[in-house]
Amino acid sequence: MSKAPGLTFEQRKACLRKLLHIGATHLGWDDDHYRYILSTVTKDPKRNSSTQLTLQELDLVLDIMKRAGFTPVARKAGSRKRATYPQARKIRSLWLTLRDQGALRDPSEEALTAWVKGEFKVDQLDWLSPAQADQAIERLKKWIDRLEKQP
């Protein structure tokens, strides 16, 4: 990442910071653990934000994430695969139930992604942590229940 062609130094750092946040989510790290890892790399408990790290330190954190099982995947825009883990399938199923009940103006995958982003501040369904995915399922179930109780 630190040698990405065509990017300025600051753009490389910004891309790497985003990648680290994605990695932390995929690994199920909570904020405290993520910040602990950052401060361990910097050897300074006060430098526990990715914005405070050098490019080399960001690369070290990415290496730690890779050793923990995170595999970054480069994708072209629009080529993102659908999340297929069980909770994502359940979320999609509930979304389609809402479609069948006429509750959605737009039942597309893009609309589901927009709903996830609005509710959980993540850009993709597969970036939800397991706890967030459970919350999404519960919110969708409550939405369906409200519709079914309407006269």
Side-chain angles (χ1 to χ4, degrees), residues 108-142:
S108 69
E109 185 74 16
E110 292 78 16
L112 173 58
T113 300
W115 180 81
V116 166
K117 185 172 185 172
E119 294 289 315
F120 300 98
K121 311 298 184 246
V122 296
D123 291 332
Q124 293 295 323
L125 179 59
D126 56 344
W127 294 354
L128 291 173
S129 69
Q132 289 173 319
D134 286 339
Q135 289 174 349
I137 290 167
E138 291 308 311
R139 289 179 190 180
L140 291 169
K141 284 180 180 179
K142 287 179 182 176

Side-chain angles (χ1 to χ4, degrees), residues 44-148:
D44 180 356
K46 294 180 183 175
R47 290 181 54 221
N48 64 358
S49 170
S50 63
T51 58
Q52 299 170 320
L53 274 64
T54 67
L55 192 59
Q56 292 76 20
E57 290 167 337
L58 293 169
D59 278 329
L60 288 173
V61 175
L62 181 59
D63 288 341
I64 291 168
M65 289 181 168
K66 287 178 180 177
R67 286 193 304 269
F70 175 59
T71 306
V73 178
R75 293 194 176 124
K76 293 181 182 175
S79 69
R80 201 173 301 277
K81 292 182 181 178
R82 285 186 175 183
T84 58
Y85 60 96
Q87 289 170 305
R89 288 194 305 268
K90 181 66 175 177
I91 290 168
R92 228 178 250 104
S93 173
L94 293 167
W95 188 253
L96 295 177
T97 299
L98 286 165
R99 176 202 61 194
D100 295 343
Q101 292 182 353
L104 303 175
R105 284 178 284 167
D106 180 2
S108 69
E109 185 74 16
E110 292 78 16
L112 173 58
T113 300
W115 180 81
V116 166
K117 185 172 185 172
E119 294 289 315
F120 300 98
K121 311 298 184 246
V122 296
D123 291 332
Q124 293 295 323
L125 179 59
D126 56 344
W127 294 354
L128 291 173
S129 69
Q132 289 173 319
D134 286 339
Q135 289 174 349
I137 290 167
E138 291 308 311
R139 289 179 190 180
L140 291 169
K141 284 180 180 179
K142 287 179 182 176
W143 188 356
I144 292 167
D145 288 343
R146 285 192 305 270
L147 290 171
E148 291 174 349

